[in-house]
Structures are given as structure tokens and as C-alpha cells.
Amino acid sequence: MECCYSFKQSSPYPSSFILNLQINDRLQYQKKSTFFTWKTYRGPVVAETGRQGWDFGRFIKTLYFFNGPPSPAKFFELLVGRLSSQSSSEPKSAMDSSGIVLVVGATGGVGKRIVDILRKKGQQVRVLVRNEEKARKMLGSDIDLIVGDITKESTLVPEYFKGVKKVFNAASVIVGPKEGDTPERAKYSQGIKFFEPEIKGDSPEMVEYVGMENLINAVKGSVGLRGGKLLFGCEDNSFKDLPWGALDDVVMGGVSESNFQIDTNGGENGGPTGIFRGVVSTANNGGFTSIRTRNFSTPEDLSAYDGLELCLKGDGRRYKLIVRTSSDWDTVGYTASFDTVEGWQSIRLPFSSLRPIFRARTVSDAPPFDQSNIVSLQLMFSKFEYDGKLNPTFVEGPFQLPLSSIRAYINDPITPRFVHVSSAGVTRPDRPGLDLSKQPPAVRLNKELGFILTFKLKGEDLIRESGMPYAIVRPCALTEEPAGADLIFDQGDNITGKISREEVARICVAAAESPYACDKTFEVKSVIPFSEPFTVDPENPPPEKDYNEYFKTLKDGITGKEYLERSPVPV
């Protein structure tokens, strides 16, 4: 609601009005109300600027729409509360919505190094592991972990991923020597000598494809989509609606009136749009109209996003967007005013610009805005700004504001939210004209290893199609050598060589912070050949790399699949 005055001063009803409400009258209202219907989007707007009579029936309809059929006691309580301008609730404390970085495959060679780098950077790290005992022994007893298996969708409980802002996926199918390894995994650590391999544990299809699909579904809502999240409007030839209802100054004694209708052809490009229209009057100390949604059945978690973008047709007036994080009827609304110009436009309102407002006054001790718990939205045209100030564009009379969409957005420049460690060679097993004898073992043995590279590529495709901002890192053969050697970045899946696991971990963490790495797929190797071991002098370590210099060279849309998709030119 919008008010900076007492309703008692402007009510057309005497103070004895409430006392004259008999219990029998309230019971009759409750009985009749079950047959009453009120269409959210329908009905003419009939308020007149000079009309002085308060519409008690419309007041009841408003309460009915937003609160459901009230019991006599509840109705009486609501009515007394409105007439006495008393708040029905106190603001609630917001949840901690600080960003969490999730590392999947955190006990593997690359994953554990990613965890270590993130913790040194002061990041809030959570790990997804199958073996809790192993994880705590390796990463420390204080590690924030969840036990789950990406190959088993039922173990990926949605609550586990609430607040996760970025994901590093270093999980991979396990490949080991057929004859086995030493207890210290000496053969694994050696990393460059060839041993006859076999798959250990779950198949490549389950880990690299099914597991990827399960993981993406589990985290996509939390980390966010590059194109934002639609809350209201048209997308993919379908219209997402919201349960809008009019909430005008009738609740405070005024006579302004509005409604919200869907115009199937009123959008900027001839598509559907909503139209917020009405007549606003200052009679009876009123002066605002608004549309507000019913409380969402499930609160919207928009913690992955930076604000709300409204696509609308402006009229040069100033409006308000109010976002609520409490399901209570009359409580603090996090509010931003915005000015419009004539014509269609997009207006971005950062969450950081929202201010806690209760009845047109700033609430200095309100809890921080909790964007993970959005309960309702409200659009308002009002005479009042905040703390006694007035809207400089306010004019009494009719108005209309076409609104085609409301979407949560991510600020530019966008950086990867999902960083995946894949493998060089994923497009090569089926590449025509390729000499397999010159390719790494995984390429030559793709079929014998359960089509490991084929399913890695299918898993990559799921990421690229997910809508999440991503980076896909394809290292060549992994070694336990230290980081620091000069690197070669490439695209198109053509290079062979080796690279340190420590270096790959550093690249992944850097990629998550770089807009140049966003939506890129690339291979990487060291310039050091297989035949030469790479060592580092602890007294004279190599300088730290600026990985952005490598990322800047990357291009969009190059994956190596273009070689597979080329068809021969007919002769």
C-alpha cells in the first residue's frame, strides 16, 4: 500500500462505523462471499477525479483477491488494521544470500587444486562429493560439503544448491591401468607413460552425459541464465502470466481506480502485452493506483541476478516497482522509482537501488533485501514519493502503461558461471581423414573405453545449450608437474601435448572471472614436450600469468565440431 497519512482523517465513515458492524452482518458477508467472483484483468475503470464517495465494495473485493475469503474474525481484524493505519506485521530478517562457489569432483587431481586456490582467495567454497570421509581427509574437516552423486538425480537435493553462484565441474569418468595402480597411485601421478587403460566404476555415458544433465538441472536455477529469467511476458512463443490484481488508494479511503488487462496484439512487435491503466484522483486524500501480484506459490530465487528489467511503453511519467520478500499483506516493500519517456523502452532496476519503504516512508532498520526470496511484485503510479516528497510528474486523471515483460538480468560484462574441465580430442574419434595412429590413446581407444570422448562431447553440448554463461577447458594429457611453463591456447580441437593439473586449476579459476572466457571452448597445453620433465626452482619461481592475455585471443563458436559437420562437396 501507499500512504503517508492517517485514514481516519479522510474516511467518509464516522468513528462509530466499526462499532456498528454487527456480528450478524459479518456472517452474512462471509456466507455471500463464497459466490462472489472478481476477474483480475476485467472491468472498466470508472473513477472520477472529483468523486468523493469511498467504494466500500471495491475495498472488500481488494481484500478478497489478495487474502482469499476471510473469516469474520480475520475480516474484522483486517478492516480495523486498515482504518487505524497499523502495520499487520514486522519486517522479517533476510537470509544470508552471499555467493557460494561449488566444486564438483573436488577430490580429483584438478578439483582439489581448484578448492585450494578458491579458499586462498577467500571464496566461500562448497564441494559435492560421493565419499565424505575421503573428502574431509583430503580437504580438511571444516570443508562445507554435500554428499551426492551426479549419476543419481535423486541425490542432488535442490536445497543443497541454494545460494550457489558459480560451479566448477572437474568430475570425470575414472580411467586406470588394467593391471591396477600402486596404493600411492604412482602410475596416475606419472601421467605421461602409457598403460593399457580401462574404465573404473560408472560408464562414460553415466558420468559424462547423464551426470552432466543431472548437474546442470540441479544448478541452473541457482547460477542463472545468460539471457536472464523471465517472470512475466512472452518467451519461446508462450506467454508467462502472473496473478495481477488492482490495489488502489481505496484501501486508504481514496477513489482512484485501475486494472490490468492483456492485449494480445499490443506489444512493440505486435505480440501480447499487459496494460496497466486507470484513473488517479487525489479526492479523499488519495492519490495512487497500483497492480500487485498475489503471493507466489513458490518464492522466486533471483540470487543469481543483478536486477529486474522492465520492457514497457512509457508516457513520460514516474512510476514505482515494489518487490516484497515477505508473504505478509502489509509489510516493507523494496522500492525503486523510475522515469519513462514516450515510446517503447527497457528499464533496468538494479537490486542495489531498491530501498525499504513502508507506507511511503523509508524504514532505516529494515533487513537487507533478500533476492533469493521474492514473494510478490507491484507496479504503482502515485502522487507520493518517499518521506514527504511528491512525484514531480504526477497528474490527476487517466493514464496507461503497457508492460510487455519483466525479466531478471545479469550485469554486463558477463563472466562464466559454469566452468567445466573436459578433454582435448573429444571431436576427433569420428573426424574424417584423421590419422588415428598419431593421436593420443583416448582417441584411438574411444570405442574400447565406452566411447569416453563421444560422451564428453555430448556433455559439453549440454552445457552450451543450457543458457548458463560457461567456459569449457580442454586440457591435453594431465601431469603432476608444477605450474609455470609457457602455454599454448588453441581452438578447434587439434593440439596434443601435456599440461600440469595445477596449471589447469589456475586457468579454471581465472576463466570464471574473465568476460573474455565467457561462452568459449578451448584447448590448452604446455610448450614443454613429453620427453622433457618440467621443474621449478622454489627460490626463483616463474612469474604469475595474466590468463586474460590468452582468453582475449579466443573466438566464439569454435569447438572442433565444425569438422564433423562439414559435408563433402558433390562433384
Side-chain angles (χ1 to χ4, degrees):
M1 293 191 300
E2 177 86 354
C3 180
C4 56
Y5 51 84
S6 170
F7 175 76
K8 288 182 178 180
Q9 296 174 354
S10 60
S11 173
Y13 292 88
S15 58
S16 60
F17 171 76
I18 297 179
L19 297 178
N20 291 332
L21 275 176
Q22 300 298 318
I23 295 296
N24 185 54
D25 295 335
R26 298 200 301 271
L27 289 174
Q28 288 180 5
Y29 165 75
Q30 185 193 25
K31 181 178 179 181
K32 294 178 181 178
S33 68
T34 58
F35 300 97
F36 165 75
T37 59
W38 183 49
K39 294 185 179 297
T40 312
Y41 302 130
R42 299 292 180 261
V45 179
V46 296
E48 298 177 4
T49 302
R51 196 180 81 184
Q52 299 298 311
W54 180 53
D55 191 337
F56 179 69
R58 191 155 58 89
F59 169 72
I60 296 303
K61 293 175 184 179
T62 300
L63 295 185
Y64 184 96
F65 178 80
F66 289 102
N67 293 279
S71 67
K74 186 65 175 177
F75 166 69
F76 190 72
E77 176 187 335
L78 287 169
L79 185 60
V80 171
R82 299 305 165 266
L83 295 175
S84 61
S85 296
Q86 293 176 352
S87 171
S88 64
S89 65
E90 295 296 326
K92 296 182 179 179
S93 299
M95 292 177 57
D96 179 14
S97 59
S98 57
I100 299 170
V101 181
L102 178 71
V103 181
V104 185
T107 57
V110 174
K112 66 182 179 183
R113 290 171 170 89
I114 292 175
V115 171
D116 185 54
I117 295 170
L118 292 172
R119 291 171 114 183
K120 288 178 179 177
K121 291 170 69 69
Q123 299 276 356
Q124 186 179 355
V125 180
R126 178 175 297 164
V127 299
L128 173 64
V129 297
R130 291 185 298 176
N131 188 319
E132 180 178 355
E133 182 180 358
K134 177 182 178 182
R136 295 200 184 279
K137 183 177 180 181
M138 180 181 294
L139 304 172
S141 59
D142 61 339
I143 188 71
D144 177 14
L145 62 75
I146 50 182
V147 179
D149 186 339
I150 61 173
T151 68
K152 298 178 175 61
E153 184 181 14
S154 61
T155 68
L156 305 181
V157 182
E159 191 65 26
Y160 292 167
F161 306 99
K162 193 173 180 65
V164 170
K165 300 294 179 62
K166 287 185 183 285
V167 177
F168 292 88
N169 181 36
S172 176
V173 66
I174 300 174
V175 181
K178 281 187 176 181
E179 67 272 25
D181 206 341
T182 67
E184 294 78 24
R185 300 194 72 186
K187 294 178 181 179
Y188 169 88
S189 297
Q190 186 175 357
I192 58 175
K193 183 178 178 181
F194 176 72
F195 294 95
E196 190 70 25
E198 69 176 0
I199 300 296
K200 310 282 187 178
D202 292 314
S203 70
E205 180 179 10
M206 288 302 300
V207 177
E208 307 291 349
Y209 181 66
V210 175
M212 180 66 75
E213 186 172 37
N214 292 339
L215 179 60
I216 288 172
N217 290 337
V219 304
K220 186 164 61 173
S222 177
V223 304
L225 303 177
R226 180 191 315 103
K229 182 176 184 178
L230 185 73
L231 303 181
F232 168 80
C234 195
E235 184 174 65
D236 298 330
N237 297 319
S238 63
F239 192 81
K240 182 174 183 180
D241 206 344
L242 288 174
W244 297 103
L247 181 55
D248 303 320
D249 57 17
V250 67
V251 297
M252 310 306 295
V255 300
S256 302
E257 189 170 356
S258 68
N259 66 20
F260 188 75
Q261 296 178 330
I262 301 298
D263 184 342
T264 55
N265 304 113
E268 182 176 12
N269 299 311
T273 189
I275 299 181
F276 169 35
R277 61 159 57 95
V279 176
V280 64
S281 167
T282 57
N284 290 358
N285 285 341
F288 75 87
T289 62
S290 76
I291 52 169
R292 175 173 165 177
T293 66
R294 284 193 181 108
N295 290 340
F296 304 143
S297 56
T298 302
E300 290 280 359
D301 181 359
L302 301 182
S303 56
Y305 301 95
D306 298 302
L308 293 174
E309 182 175 34
L310 282 61
C311 182
L312 50 82
K313 187 177 183 180
D315 57 4
R317 301 184 186 186
R318 178 176 294 177
Y319 294 85
K320 292 179 183 178
L321 175 70
I322 303 171
V323 185
R324 284 184 169 79
T325 60
S326 170
S327 59
D328 291 341
W329 160 253
D330 194 12
T331 186
V332 168
Y334 295 84
T335 307
S337 295
F338 60 92
D339 292 310
T340 68
V341 296
E342 296 282 345
W344 285 99
Q345 61 215 261
S346 290
I347 294 176
R348 285 191 167 188
L349 300 174
F351 289 135
S352 60
S353 71
L354 300 179
R355 55 195 295 179
I357 300 295
F358 182 72
R359 298 186 183 177
R361 297 194 180 279
T362 303
V363 181
S364 58
D365 59 347
F369 175 64
D370 180 10
Q371 62 197 70
S372 71
N373 191 58
I374 308 301
V375 173
S376 70
L377 301 175
Q378 185 174 357
L379 274 174
M380 177 176 285
F381 179 50
S382 175
K383 169 185 175 180
F384 308 102
E385 277 288 286
Y386 318 105
D387 305 319
K389 296 181 180 180
L390 299 178
N391 180 353
T393 71
F394 178 78
V395 178
E396 287 192 77
F399 73 93
Q400 76 171 25
L401 184 72
L403 172 72
S404 65
S405 68
I406 301 177
R407 180 184 299 273
Y409 69 87
I410 299 175
N411 277 333
D412 294 322
I414 299 176
T415 58
R417 301 288 181 93
F418 191 102
V419 179
H420 174 58
V421 182
S422 184
S423 172
V426 294
T427 69
R428 299 180 211 172
D430 297 321
R431 187 182 297 181
L434 194 67
D435 186 352
L436 292 180
S437 67
K438 296 180 180 179
Q439 294 300 313
V443 177
R444 301 197 308 269
L445 299 173
N446 180 55
K447 181 178 180 180
E448 289 77 4
L449 292 174
F451 294 95
I452 181 173
L453 296 180
T454 301
F455 284 112
K456 280 183 178 288
L457 180 60
K458 287 180 177 289
E460 286 186 7
D461 287 340
L462 291 175
I463 299 171
R464 284 187 279 264
E465 295 163 3
S466 69
M468 295 183 295
Y470 68 86
I472 298 175
V473 185
R474 292 170 169 174
C476 291
L478 295 169
T479 76
E480 289 292 297
E481 294 173 336
D486 289 337
L487 302 174
I488 295 175
F489 277 58
D490 200 7
Q491 292 178 282
D493 195 20
N494 296 302
I495 62 175
T496 60
K498 67 175 182 178
I499 186 170
S500 154
R501 290 182 172 90
E502 174 67 27
E503 193 82 66
V504 173
R506 294 183 185 183
I507 291 169
C508 288
V509 174
E513 300 171 353
S514 173
Y516 299 109
C518 192
D519 296 344
K520 303 298 195 302
T521 301
F522 59 91
E523 298 80 47
V524 61
K525 72 171 184 175
S526 162
V527 299
I528 308 298
F530 270 117
S531 57
E532 296 179 20
F534 177 72
T535 59
V536 169
D537 179 4
E539 301 298 322
N540 188 29
E544 291 190 10
K545 295 182 178 69
D546 180 2
Y547 295 103
N548 258 337
E549 294 304 313
Y550 295 100
F551 298 147
K552 286 178 182 179
T553 67
L554 301 177
K555 296 179 174 59
D556 292 321
I558 302 178
T559 67
K561 290 181 65 178
E562 50 269 22
Y563 295 108
L564 303 177
E565 294 163 358
R566 290 175 184 168
S567 57
V569 178
V571 178

